[in-house]
Amino acid sequence: MDRRKLLTAAGLGLGAAALAGCKEEAAPAAGAADQAPPVQRFRWKMVTSWPENFPGLGTTAQHFADTVARLSNGRLSIQVFAAGALVPALEVFDAVSSGTAEMGHSAAYYWKGKSATAPFFTAVPFGLNAQEMNAWLYEGGGLALWQKAYESLGVLPLPCGNTGVQMAGWFNKEINSLDDLQGLKIRMPGFGGEVLSRAGATTVNLPGSEIFTSLQTGVIDATDWVSPYNDLAFGLYQAAKYYYYPGWQEPCAVLELTINQQKLAELPADLQDIVKVAARATNQAMLDEYTKRNAEALDTLVNEHGVQLRRLPDAVLERLRDISLDVLEETAAANPLNREVWDSMQAFRGKVNAWHAISESAMYALRD
Amino acid sequence: MDRRKLLTAAGLGLGAAALAGCKEEAAPAAGAADQAPPVQRFRWKMVTSWPENFPGLGTTAQHFADTVARLSNGRLSIQVFAAGALVPALEVFDAVSSGTAEMGHSAAYYWKGKSATAPFFTAVPFGLNAQEMNAWLYEGGGLALWQKAYESLGVLPLPCGNTGVQMAGWFNKEINSLDDLQGLKIRMPGFGGEVLSRAGATTVNLPGSEIFTSLQTGVIDATDWVSPYNDLAFGLYQAAKYYYYPGWQEPCAVLELTINQQKLAELPADLQDIVKVAARATNQAMLDEYTKRNAEALDTLVNEHGVQLRRLPDAVLERLRDISLDVLEETAAANPLNREVWDSMQAFRGKVNAWHAISESAMYALRD
């Protein structure tokens, strides 16, 4: 066997695989060319909705890919693509469904047009926090329902990262009563935006890249984004006076790993398990990172940049909660699966609320 | 090659390995006997402090072992031993340190006699909850300090499970003021027991197996245990009138995976990573399970068994908090590493308290 030719061919194979996302067999060890069982290697592509190495989101996608590479000893390598590099940010789901990419990293609430059930799996206003969402997904039947929602689309979803509780957003007008919401021009997507519209605000949707300028020039009066870690990096404190809490619209936000079902089924069983367990470990890793970095960034925002924290008034929060329940009930009524998901979540919530009232919540209350 | 002899030898090898915990090489595939690179297989023993398949604790150890077996495609198989099967519950650390077992699953606060720093890594009264502890360990430098504490003992620790917030315990006397703590006979180990002793209680230490009878016969007036999931299974509601919260003494409890450093270093890099990532995924899995099952068990205790929930009075909690800080400061002063750990934890706590006050805590408060 001509060793030079073999290496050259392998080199070309790698290049082609990176573009096409195919599986290949490693060159057999020298001296065992005919007998050694070939090691199957897979090169996959992961498309994401995040800019290149975007802190917390893009880096979490890369953390997952690195974990899989290490656990599989390189048998499954995943190349991570930033938004726009292979497909636009909001075409991640389609790319995975069609097999253009084997995997995606994004958030379920972007796919409302594909599955009316999807938004429940990212965040629900006044709903479950990260600890509760993880428990509902893995122990309370939530993950099975999520997978059922995408089954006919050929996609398997897994939770793969969580921001924890977000902030209510950056405002250039104070919110002292419900009146202050009337006509307020605010950027907010998802369930939260719908709720604010019904409360009288003028909700607009802007991509992340336009938020800063729109806020600074007064095109909008307020915006949500994420929480201190991402908001500090975005410089939003330079464009707004007040930083409002709590993030009623997203008590947590689940990041979503999507996997093409057929491609997954082609992997050996151990690699399938590596993907699933790496996703679960990454899910925790992102929350750990956000907990640490949000705490530090809040300290920087308040103590170095003089950001003024404001709590939304109780009357405003109560009204937003009532409207949220209306919106969620209407969403639940849209089809039988939505009904099943919302009922499951509500039943879980009732019991976990009672437990956390005397445990997590009671301990937090002791700190004040 | 005599295939029958080979299989017999392999059979004996397996049996011997199960006792001795050695590594072995799989029989090569037929027809490739001389050339195929042998697959290294490792059979490890994990000793634990839990009864066989004890709900939540023993099952978490088994969950970890099963995960490693699947991810490694059987190259690393771990046999889980209940307390007493190979070594007694409180000799887990020694067994791992000496190499009698490659791994252990237990809790760090049992090893105060081996490392004065160990108790900080399970639970600190009025301290970090599960989400915060995970963030401190993995992102705030805590895990590096934990590993430093055991380094000279040849043991590498990793978090591998968390109960979340516990309950204050089961009481046959109501606690309405500090006076009610005087002379109260209560079973409570760890920092919590020391704090209650200083508050005037008579603290006794009893193994789990003696708690029920001691409480029922009046040998003790009260006891801690874990939280609704484990407490319901233990039947403690049949032996005590009141179920007190919040679990000031353990705002979370970290389960500990210990690994013999030398044995770990003998594993190929991918198996070392599989162990570490499986531990992190298992860490989340146990919290998910406890969150779900505590919520259900609390519902059963209150609505089926008529258990009376009681909150410890503010004056009692304030006094216990003051004493806790004294105990922790004294523990910190014992040696430079304790000082370093406590300072690190306190610095982290200051910032994360401020963040969680406007996020997690603020969202919990909205529910009431």
Side-chain angles (χ1 to χ4, degrees):
Chain A
M1 182 174 286
D2 184 330
R3 192 170 150 77
R4 262 189 40 228
K5 260 191 201 160
L6 187 81
L7 287 174
T8 309
L12 286 174
L14 281 173
L19 292 172
C22 69
K23 88 184 174 201
E24 49 182 79
E25 298 185 350
D34 294 328
Q35 290 83 7
V39 174
Q40 277 194 318
R41 292 188 189 278
F42 299 82
R43 292 178 68 84
W44 277 19
K45 294 187 294 300
M46 177 199 272
V47 290
T48 75
S49 301
W50 329 124
E52 180 105 27
N53 281 320
F54 192 78
L57 305 177
T59 51
T60 290
Q62 191 60 52
H63 178 277
F64 168 80
D66 292 343
T67 302
V68 170
R70 284 187 289 112
L71 299 196
S72 71
N73 202 14
R75 288 187 296 137
L76 176 55
S77 65
I78 299 166
Q79 189 177 357
V80 178
F81 291 87
L86 208 59
V87 299
L90 298 185
E91 291 179 19
V92 163
F93 190 93
D94 281 342
V96 175
S97 180
S98 68
T100 300
E102 290 82 2
M103 282 185 159
H105 194 250
S106 186
Y109 63 3
Y110 294 137
W111 324 130
K112 196 163 66 168
K114 311 286 168 189
S115 158
T117 319
F120 285 110
F121 301 106
T122 303
V124 166
F126 298 94
L128 305 175
N129 67 9
Q131 183 174 336
E132 296 163 348
M133 187 66 116
N134 285 333
W136 177 65
L137 289 171
Y138 275 101
E139 295 282 334
L143 184 54
L145 291 168
W146 192 0
Q147 294 179 346
K148 190 172 167 185
Y150 293 175
E151 201 165 24
S152 65
L153 302 162
V155 173
L156 185 98
L158 287 172
C160 190
N162 200 310
T163 61
V165 178
Q166 301 202 358
M167 291 289 286
W170 295 88
F171 289 66
N172 273 319
K173 291 185 178 172
E174 276 195 271
I175 305 298
N176 294 314
S177 74
L178 283 164
D179 290 344
D180 295 321
L181 290 182
Q182 307 314 308
L184 182 84
K185 286 172 289 178
I186 181 168
R187 181 263 184 193
M188 186 173 295
F191 285 131
E194 173 64 23
V195 172
L196 280 178
S197 291
R198 295 192 191 189
T202 303
T203 314
V204 297
N205 211 342
L206 292 173
S209 56
E210 293 175 29
I211 292 177
F212 185 90
T213 307
S214 301
L215 192 58
Q216 204 172 36
T217 58
V219 171
I220 53 176
D221 305 312
T223 185
D224 81 316
W225 186 232
V226 187
S227 46
Y229 172 27
N230 289 131
D231 295 4
L232 172 63
F234 231 52
L236 290 171
Y237 63 92
Q238 295 168 314
K241 285 187 203 160
Y242 311 112
Y243 198 18
Y244 270 91
Y245 69 93
W248 58 275
Q249 78 284 6
E250 299 194 24
C252 80
V254 179
L255 280 289
E256 177 187 73
L257 181 72
T258 41
I259 313 169
N260 181 287
Q261 279 174 7
Q262 196 183 322
K263 300 285 184 183
L264 183 67
E266 289 170 10
L267 294 180
D270 62 332
L271 290 186
Q272 294 189 32
D273 281 326
I274 282 175
V275 165
K276 290 173 188 172
V277 173
R280 197 164 192 181
T282 302
N283 195 45
Q284 189 195 305
M286 180 171 155
L287 184 61
D288 294 351
E289 183 191 355
Y290 270 67
T291 301
K292 158 75 154 29
R293 291 186 184 267
N294 276 327
E296 285 181 344
L298 178 67
D299 189 66
T300 302
L301 286 168
V302 171
N303 295 317
E304 290 182 26
H305 299 303
V307 164
Q308 294 185 52
L309 294 175
R310 290 279 190 281
R311 184 176 180 278
L312 288 171
D314 285 332
V316 169
L317 288 166
E318 278 163 31
R319 179 81 185 115
L320 295 176
R321 176 157 53 188
D322 290 345
I323 300 174
S324 294
L325 282 174
D326 290 345
V327 169
L328 290 163
E329 276 299 331
E330 287 171 29
T331 309
N335 65 58
L337 185 57
N338 280 20
R339 180 84 266 158
E340 193 180 353
V341 169
W342 181 233
D343 287 353
S344 168
M345 208 178 231
Q346 287 284 77
F348 184 85
R349 193 151 87 143
K351 287 187 181 175
V352 86
N353 273 4
W355 162 235
H356 278 170
I358 65 167
S359 57
E360 297 286 346
S361 179
M363 286 303 298
Y364 277 122
L366 278 186
R367 296 181 179 184
D368 305 334
Chain B
M1 183 174 287
D2 184 330
R3 190 168 153 78
R4 261 189 40 228
K5 260 192 203 159
L6 187 80
L7 288 174
T8 310
L12 286 174
L14 281 174
L19 292 174
C22 69
K23 86 184 177 202
E24 48 181 81
E25 298 185 349
D34 293 328
Q35 289 84 5
V39 174
Q40 277 193 318
R41 292 187 189 279
F42 299 83
R43 291 178 68 85
W44 277 19
K45 295 188 294 300
M46 177 198 273
V47 290
T48 75
S49 301
W50 329 123
E52 181 105 27
N53 282 320
F54 192 79
L57 305 178
T59 51
T60 290
Q62 191 61 52
H63 178 277
F64 169 80
D66 292 344
T67 302
V68 170
R70 285 187 289 110
L71 299 196
S72 71
N73 202 14
R75 287 187 296 137
L76 175 55
S77 65
I78 299 166
Q79 189 176 359
V80 178
F81 291 88
L86 208 59
V87 300
L90 299 185
E91 291 178 20
V92 164
F93 190 94
D94 281 342
V96 175
S97 180
S98 69
T100 300
E102 290 81 2
M103 281 186 160
H105 193 249
S106 187
Y109 64 3
Y110 294 137
W111 324 129
K112 196 163 65 168
K114 311 287 168 191
S115 159
T117 319
F120 285 110
F121 300 106
T122 303
V124 165
F126 299 94
L128 305 175
N129 68 8
Q131 183 174 335
E132 296 162 347
M133 187 67 116
N134 285 332
W136 177 66
L137 288 171
Y138 274 101
E139 295 283 335
L143 184 53
L145 291 168
W146 192 1
Q147 294 180 345
K148 190 171 167 184
Y150 293 176
E151 202 166 24
S152 65
L153 302 162
V155 173
L156 185 98
L158 287 172
C160 189
N162 200 309
T163 62
V165 178
Q166 301 203 358
M167 291 289 286
W170 296 88
F171 289 67
N172 273 319
K173 292 186 177 170
E174 278 195 271
I175 305 298
N176 294 314
S177 73
L178 282 163
D179 289 345
D180 295 321
L181 290 181
Q182 307 313 309
L184 183 84
K185 285 172 291 179
I186 181 167
R187 181 264 185 194
M188 187 173 293
F191 284 130
E194 173 65 22
V195 172
L196 280 178
S197 292
R198 294 193 192 189
T202 303
T203 314
V204 297
N205 211 343
L206 293 173
S209 57
E210 292 175 29
I211 292 178
F212 186 90
T213 307
S214 301
L215 192 59
Q216 203 172 38
T217 57
V219 171
I220 53 176
D221 306 311
T223 186
D224 81 315
W225 188 231
V226 186
S227 46
Y229 172 27
N230 290 129
D231 294 4
L232 172 64
F234 230 52
L236 290 171
Y237 63 92
Q238 295 169 314
K241 286 188 203 160
Y242 311 112
Y243 199 18
Y244 270 91
Y245 70 91
W248 58 275
Q249 78 284 8
E250 299 194 24
C252 79
V254 179
L255 280 290
E256 177 187 73
L257 181 71
T258 41
I259 313 169
N260 181 287
Q261 279 174 7
Q262 196 183 322
K263 300 283 183 183
L264 183 67
E266 288 170 11
L267 294 180
D270 62 333
L271 291 186
Q272 294 189 33
D273 282 326
I274 282 175
V275 165
K276 290 173 188 173
V277 173
R280 198 164 192 181
T282 302
N283 194 46
Q284 188 194 305
M286 180 171 156
L287 184 62
D288 293 352
E289 183 191 357
Y290 271 67
T291 301
K292 159 74 155 27
R293 290 186 184 269
N294 276 328
E296 286 181 344
L298 179 67
D299 189 67
T300 302
L301 286 168
V302 171
N303 295 316
E304 291 182 25
H305 300 303
V307 164
Q308 295 184 52
L309 293 176
R310 290 279 189 283
R311 184 177 181 277
L312 287 173
D314 285 332
V316 169
L317 288 166
E318 278 162 31
R319 178 82 184 115
L320 295 176
R321 175 158 53 187
D322 289 345
I323 300 174
S324 293
L325 282 174
D326 290 345
V327 169
L328 290 162
E329 277 298 332
E330 287 172 29
T331 308
N335 65 58
L337 184 57
N338 281 20
R339 180 84 265 159
E340 193 181 353
V341 169
W342 182 234
D343 287 352
S344 167
M345 208 178 229
Q346 288 284 79
F348 185 84
R349 193 152 87 144
K351 288 187 181 174
V352 86
N353 273 4
W355 162 235
H356 278 170
I358 65 166
S359 57
E360 298 286 345
S361 180
M363 285 303 298
Y364 277 122
L366 279 186
R367 296 180 180 185
D368 304 333

